[in-house]
């Protein structure tokens, strides 16, 4: 049978479909498809227009650099090697096929349109690359489907308390992608065979590519069958393209449309906590009628964009210590539940509706209070989704509504009345200096070189006071002209702010800022990472701030500090990275440099270390909070140290030390595990060259 009805092999626009010329058929499909997609997107983005404002339009060059690194460069995906390689290959394949996909769509409405190519060998390479890209995409889609259905990673699991899994949605989307690749491959294969049968120069297909394989399958097809495949595969490709395009905003692959924008608008200063409301002065904020997030519209438009951009990969929850220890929190579902809520209350088809409260309807109070703000989820997310700001905003809403856990009410009141969560007198803040072998003066506007900001736990807790004494002796050995604020120092307010008490934080911050400026200090040293983070990130206009680990590392590097060897058999040491020293401020090398400078010290790394460190669970006011959990985070961490072969855990945070020492007892490992602060260890091993003066 002749194929005279096939007017132009390269242009389906001239073929006939259901008695209608292809050009009209495809023009109609594409106009309807694009109109529907635009309608869906407008409806999907409507909640963002109702969200609170967020400042994300500054520093465009820095933002573009982030897009190149994290979106285009897929920087974080290889942290999970198997899934990362699959995603990078899929992403690369789609980027390569974008031009081809658009060219194929034009072919249906533009008779005789030729897919852009290059002459000679370059053109053949270009065509081969696109064909291999399609092959890689369908292969990765197949592997991804098998991983979802058969070799399912535990991070894909959905506990009953968090709702149902989106497995069906994921498989359907993967099937649509596979169908798109098969339709494209069948179109290429049938076209090549038809050209050959007509005696025309047939397009070469890349060996072992998807089109090549389909060509082999169709090699014995009749001309009539090839013609049907040619026309049908092109129609299937166009329809499938728009089905996929219009379905994605309803499922977990909405991030395909939003991820680029989400990465572009991501926080450049991720360590900086979001203010209650952008653009309001402290006085205006005090007069604000409502604090924090109570209903969905209280989220900012960027936070809503985060919800849309989640790929539901589970990496955040896989790294979350709260999730690992059975607390009622999983960062993944903070996002997924909010997205499901948005889809339900702001439907594409139908009227929007709102409800009064998120906590109680979408989230539980325990869920919100269980977060330690350690930042493990944000560190892991390949799309730079922000979690801590949302948790803090939800806590602000709870605090504003008077819904504070009973165990936190007393330390909050103590912070407000006495400037510390223990409720102790301010005049006792400097009692740790008694019987100190070096002089620790209280500054009084005399222009001291270095101010040691001690903060509450190190000032008042009997076990943590040795950290303050060790820090003072180290500063003395380095011949620093230093002093402390004494009773003029208040709690840094770090945890008060992260627990939603913004006005209390302002009170503490303003009092400390005035005292620090009055001291005349040229720089500040802290031994508590929470104080370090507060003074550096939450305060303004202060002198340069350093953690004692940085001071120690500089002293070692300059030769000012030297250590005597450890006694033989002193054990195997490992360093536990405090969250607010490591992930939040990227101080990883300084503590290790100090440990490695101690002769005879054998150091090993835990499996979860540096930017993947596992939170001890005891930061700040978390020492007072009693969460529902299956196991203590500190106990899990202590066991990690044991698995690494260590019997001495070194940390550089008083809260970590308190929690780790307690965990050693709970785990029944007192006979084989100890803990010590870095400043204590350094002071213990330091070779003293400077004479000490009794107070």
């Amino acid at each position: 049978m002749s194929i005279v009805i096939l007017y132009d092999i390269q242009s389906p626009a001239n073929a006939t479909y259901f008695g209608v010329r292809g050009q009209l058929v495809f023009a109609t499909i594409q106009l309807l498809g694009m109109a529907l997609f635009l309608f869906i997107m407008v409806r999907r983005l409507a909640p963002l227009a109702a969200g609170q404002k967020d400042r994300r339009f500054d520093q465009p060059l820095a933002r573009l650099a982030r897009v190149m690194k994290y979106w285009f460069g897929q920087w974080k995906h290889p942290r999970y090697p198997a899934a990362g390689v699959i995603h990078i290959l899929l992403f690369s394949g789609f980027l390569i096929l974008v031009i081809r996909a658009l060219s194929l769509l034009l072919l249906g409405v533009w008779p005789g349109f030729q897919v852009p190519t290059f002459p000679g060998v370059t053109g053949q390479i270009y065509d081969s690359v696109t064909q291999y890209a399609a092959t890689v995409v369908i292969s990765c889609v197949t592997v991804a489907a098998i991983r979802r259905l058969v070799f399912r990673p535990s991070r894909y699991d959905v506990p009953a308390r968090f709702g149902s899994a989106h497995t069906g949605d994921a498989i359907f989307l993967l099937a649509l992608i596979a169908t798109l690749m098969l339709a494209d491959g069948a179109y290429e294969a049938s076209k090549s065979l038809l050209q050959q049968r007509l005696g025309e120069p047939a397009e070469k297909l890349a060996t072992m590519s998807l089109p090549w394989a389909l060509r082999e399958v169709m090699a014995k097809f009749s001309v009539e069958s090839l013609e049907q495949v040619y026309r049908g595969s092109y129609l299937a490709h166009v329809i499938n393209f728009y089905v996929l395009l219009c379905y994605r905003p309803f499922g977990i692959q909405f991030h395909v449309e939003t991820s680029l924008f989400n990465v572009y608008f991501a926080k450049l200063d991720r360590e900086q906590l979001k203010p209650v409301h952008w653009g309001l002065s402290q006085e205006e904020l005090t007069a604000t009628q409502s604090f924090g997030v109570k209903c969905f519209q209280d989220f900012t438009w960027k936070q809503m964009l985060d919800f849309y951009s989640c790929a539901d990969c589970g990496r955040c929850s896989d790294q979350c210590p709260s999730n690992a220890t059975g607390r009622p929190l999983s960062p993944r579902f903070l996002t997924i539940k909010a997205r499901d809520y948005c889809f339900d209350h702001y439907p594409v088809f139908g009227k929007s509706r709102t409800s009064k409260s998120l906590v109680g309807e979408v989230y539980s109070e325990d869920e919100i209070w269980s977060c330690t703000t350690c930042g493990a989820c944000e560190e892991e997310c390949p799309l730079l989704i922000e979690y801590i700001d949302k948790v803090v905003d939800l806590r602000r809403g709870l605090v504003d509504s008077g819904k504070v856990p009973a165990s936190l009410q007393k330390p909050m009141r103590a912070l407000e009345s006495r400037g510390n969560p223990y409720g102790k007198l301010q005049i006792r803040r400097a009692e740790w200096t008694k019987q100190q072998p070096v002089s620790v003066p209280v500054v009084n506007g005399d222009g001291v070189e270095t101010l040691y900001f001690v903060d509450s736990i190190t000032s008042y807790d009997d076990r943590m006071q040795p950290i303050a004494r060790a820090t003072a002796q180290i500063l003395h050995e380095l011949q620093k002209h230093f002093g402390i604020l004494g009773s003029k120092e208040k709690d840094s307010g770090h945890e008060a702010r992260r627990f939603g008490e913004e006005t209390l934080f302002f009170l503490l911050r303003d009092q400390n800022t005035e005292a620090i400026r009055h001291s005349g200090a040229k720089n500040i040293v802290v031994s508590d990472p929470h104080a370090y983070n507060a003074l550096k990130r939450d305060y303004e206009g202060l002198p340069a701030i350093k953690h004692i680990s940085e001071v120690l590392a500089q002293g070692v590097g300059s030769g000012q500090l030297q250590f005597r060897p450890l006694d033989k058999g002193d054990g195997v040491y490992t360093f536990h990275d405090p969250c607010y020293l490591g992930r939040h401020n990227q101080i990883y090398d300084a503590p290790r440099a100090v440990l490695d400078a101690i002769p005879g010290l054998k150091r090993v790394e835990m499996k979860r270390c540096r930017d993947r460190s596992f939170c001890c669970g005891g930061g700040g006011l978390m020492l007072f909070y009693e969460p529902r959990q299956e196991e203590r985070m500190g106990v899990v961490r202590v066991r990690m140290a044991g698995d690494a072969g260590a019997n001495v855990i070194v940390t550089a945070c008083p809260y970590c030390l308190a929690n780790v020492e307690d965990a050693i007892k709970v785990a029944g490992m007192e006979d084989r595990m100890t803990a010590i602060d870095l400043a204590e260890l350094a002071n213990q091993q330091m070779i003293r060259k400077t004479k000490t003066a009794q107070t």
Side-chain angles (χ1 to χ4, degrees):
M1 179 179 175
S2 173
I3 60 166
V4 291
I5 59 172
L6 186 62
Y7 299 102
D8 187 344
I9 292 177
Q10 291 185 334
S11 181
N14 287 332
T16 302
Y17 293 83
F18 315 109
V20 181
R21 187 177 178 182
Q23 187 177 32
L24 180 59
V25 171
F26 296 121
T28 302
I29 292 174
Q30 295 193 42
L31 285 173
L32 290 175
M34 285 305 301
L36 179 60
F37 175 70
L38 291 174
F39 172 79
I40 292 170
M41 289 301 293
V42 168
R43 294 285 290 176
R44 274 287 177 253
L45 297 177
L48 274 67
Q52 302 299 308
K53 64 181 179 180
D54 207 335
R55 292 181 177 174
R56 303 291 178 128
F57 297 92
D58 59 331
Q59 303 183 57
L61 293 180
R63 295 186 180 280
L64 285 173
R66 283 219 165 176
V67 168
M68 295 302 295
K69 179 177 180 179
Y70 293 105
W71 186 82
F72 184 77
Q74 302 280 282
W75 186 261
K76 288 192 176 184
H77 282 280
R79 291 168 71 90
Y80 281 75
V85 169
I86 292 172
H87 192 277
I88 289 171
L89 290 174
L90 273 172
F91 180 78
S92 302
F94 273 117
L95 287 184
I96 293 169
L97 291 170
V98 163
I99 295 177
R100 171 164 177 78
L102 295 177
S103 300
L104 280 177
L105 293 177
L106 286 174
L107 196 62
V109 296
W110 187 346
F113 179 80
Q114 298 290 323
V115 177
T117 186
F118 305 98
V121 176
T122 305
Q124 294 176 11
I125 294 174
Y126 172 83
D127 293 337
S128 296
V129 168
T130 60
Q131 291 164 20
Y132 283 129
T135 310
V136 168
V137 168
I138 197 168
S139 300
C140 289
V141 163
T142 303
V143 172
I146 293 173
R147 277 172 56 85
R148 281 273 179 180
L149 295 173
V150 184
F151 306 106
R152 185 183 180 88
S154 59
R155 58 192 170 91
Y156 291 161
D157 293 340
V158 181
R161 68 182 183 274
F162 292 128
S164 59
H166 293 80
T167 303
D169 181 29
I171 297 301
F172 180 65
L173 283 161
L174 291 173
L176 287 176
I177 296 171
T179 303
L180 193 68
M181 297 299 105
L182 286 170
D184 187 358
Y187 171 78
E188 282 293 299
S190 59
K191 182 173 70 172
S192 176
L193 285 169
L194 281 172
Q195 288 172 331
Q196 183 181 20
R197 298 287 178 86
L198 288 175
E200 296 181 7
E203 292 184 6
K204 293 183 179 180
L205 303 180
T207 305
M208 301 302 292
S209 68
L210 176 63
W212 176 87
L214 292 174
R215 188 181 189 278
E216 294 298 306
V217 171
M218 295 186 288
K220 296 182 179 180
F221 281 19
S222 65
V223 170
E224 292 86 348
S225 297
L226 288 173
E227 179 194 346
Q228 290 175 353
V229 172
Y230 173 76
R231 291 188 297 167
S233 61
Y234 183 83
L235 177 64
H237 182 277
V238 173
I239 292 175
N240 199 85
F241 177 89
Y242 284 103
V243 170
L244 180 61
L245 186 68
C246 293
Y247 180 76
R248 277 200 301 251
F250 292 90
I252 65 172
Q253 278 198 11
F254 196 17
H255 71 276
V256 174
E257 276 74 29
T258 63
S259 61
L260 185 150
F261 302 99
N262 202 65
V263 172
Y264 179 84
F265 289 118
K267 288 171 68 173
L268 296 175
D269 50 350
R270 292 180 69 82
E271 299 81 13
Q272 195 80 28
L273 197 63
K274 170 192 166 293
V276 176
H277 292 293
W278 286 102
L280 294 185
S281 66
Q282 186 170 331
E283 292 74 18
E284 292 171 324
L285 193 60
T286 304
T288 300
Q289 296 297 315
S290 179
F291 272 55
V293 169
K294 298 174 183 174
C295 61
F296 191 79
Q297 298 93 324
D298 290 334
F299 283 120
T300 71
W301 63 265
K302 175 57 175 64
Q303 290 173 333
M304 295 179 186
L305 187 63
D306 275 351
F307 301 145
Y308 287 168
S309 301
C310 178
D312 199 17
C313 66
R315 297 179 182 215
C316 54
S317 294
D318 195 43
Q319 297 297 321
C320 174
S322 292
N323 186 58
T325 54
R327 291 190 182 188
L329 169 68
S330 174
R332 171 189 176 196
F333 294 102
L334 284 178
T335 298
I336 297 300
K337 289 195 294 185
R339 184 179 66 198
D340 290 347
Y341 173 95
C342 187
F343 284 3
D344 180 53
H345 287 71
Y346 295 88
V348 170
F349 305 102
K351 293 183 178 180
S352 301
R353 57 192 177 88
T354 59
S355 62
K356 295 181 179 179
S357 176
L358 279 174
V359 179
E361 181 176 340
V362 179
Y363 306 119
S364 69
E365 290 187 29
D366 282 348
E367 195 174 356
I368 302 306
W369 292 112
S370 289
C371 177
T372 66
T373 68
C374 72
C377 51
E378 294 189 359
E379 186 69 35
E380 207 62 42
C381 181
L383 297 178
L384 307 188
I385 289 172
E386 299 152 19
Y387 293 93
I388 294 175
D389 283 349
K390 299 185 189 75
V391 168
V392 172
D393 270 340
L394 286 163
R395 287 175 175 175
R396 287 164 173 164
L398 288 171
V399 169
D400 194 46
S401 301
K403 298 177 181 179
V404 180
S407 59
L408 292 176
Q409 292 176 13
K410 184 177 179 180
M412 288 286 197
R413 288 195 297 267
L415 274 171
E416 185 172 6
S417 61
R418 295 198 168 177
N420 68 85
Y422 304 97
K424 295 186 178 181
L425 297 173
Q426 278 297 103
I427 57 174
R428 296 182 58 189
R429 187 173 277 273
E431 282 189 355
W432 62 268
T433 62
K434 293 180 179 179
Q435 299 180 351
Q436 173 78 356
V438 298
S439 176
V440 183
V442 175
V443 299
N444 189 27
D446 53 358
V448 67
E449 177 193 352
T450 299
L451 174 68
Y452 174 29
F453 191 93
V454 189
D455 217 1
S456 296
I457 187 172
T458 319
S459 295
Y460 291 112
D461 189 284
D462 291 341
R463 169 60 187 93
M464 302 307 144
Q465 287 178 348
I467 298 176
R469 297 189 187 104
T471 300
Q473 291 177 56
I474 291 166
L475 294 175
H476 178 78
E477 181 64 29
L478 291 171
Q479 299 182 353
K480 302 285 188 184
H481 177 212
F482 75 98
I484 61 173
L485 292 175
S487 61
K488 296 185 183 68
E489 179 187 295
K490 306 287 185 180
D491 189 274
S492 66
H494 185 266
E495 304 311 307
R497 191 177 194 207
R498 279 147 189 82
F499 272 76
E501 271 283 12
E502 195 78 7
T503 52
L504 175 56
F505 162 73
F506 286 148
L507 176 66
L508 297 168
R509 182 197 65 180
D510 292 348
Q511 291 174 340
N512 280 326
T513 299
E514 182 180 356
I516 292 170
R517 289 176 178 171
H518 180 70
S519 73
K522 298 177 182 177
N523 56 78
I524 303 172
V525 171
V526 296
S527 52
D528 180 352
H530 299 82
Y532 177 86
N533 193 69
L535 299 182
K536 186 174 182 179
R537 308 292 181 187
D538 298 337
Y539 287 49
E540 296 178 356
L542 298 186
I545 304 156
K546 289 183 180 179
H547 185 263
I548 188 60
S549 62
E550 296 177 288
V551 176
L552 282 166
Q554 288 180 347
V556 168
S558 66
Q560 281 184 279
L561 284 183
Q562 293 181 340
F563 303 108
R564 57 185 177 83
L566 284 171
D567 295 332
K568 290 184 178 180
D570 269 354
V572 179
Y573 290 69
T574 189
F575 183 71
H576 163 72
D577 292 278
C579 302
Y580 276 96
L581 188 66
R583 270 190 296 268
H584 286 278
N585 286 288
Q586 295 79 52
I587 299 176
Y588 300 112
D589 296 329
R592 289 170 171 81
V594 175
L595 292 177
D596 293 342
I598 299 176
L601 186 146
K602 182 180 179 182
R603 181 172 66 84
V604 295
E605 291 284 12
M606 286 182 271
K607 185 177 180 180
R608 295 281 296 270
C609 63
R610 302 181 77 90
D611 63 353
R612 274 186 167 170
S613 181
F614 193 87
C615 180
C616 73
L621 295 181
M622 275 295 171
L623 289 178
F624 299 90
Y625 181 58
E626 300 171 1
R628 290 191 293 110
Q629 57 188 359
E630 297 171 4
E631 190 172 25
R632 293 190 182 186
M633 292 182 195
V635 172
V636 175
R637 190 55 167 165
V638 166
R639 288 176 181 156
M640 288 181 184
D643 292 342
N647 55 16
V648 182
I649 301 174
V650 182
T651 187
C653 170
Y655 293 106
C656 292
L657 184 61
N659 228 37
V660 168
E661 287 188 333
D662 186 53
I664 290 173
K665 297 175 185 177
V666 172
M669 300 174 67
E670 297 159 282
D671 59 336
R672 58 185 186 276
M673 187 76 70
T674 59
I676 190 171
D677 188 84
L678 181 70
E680 289 182 299
L681 178 61
N683 183 55
Q684 172 185 298
Q685 298 300 126
M686 185 171 60
I687 298 174
R688 286 171 169 76
K689 303 173 184 177
T690 305
K691 292 182 179 180
T692 60
Q694 294 293 332
T695 303

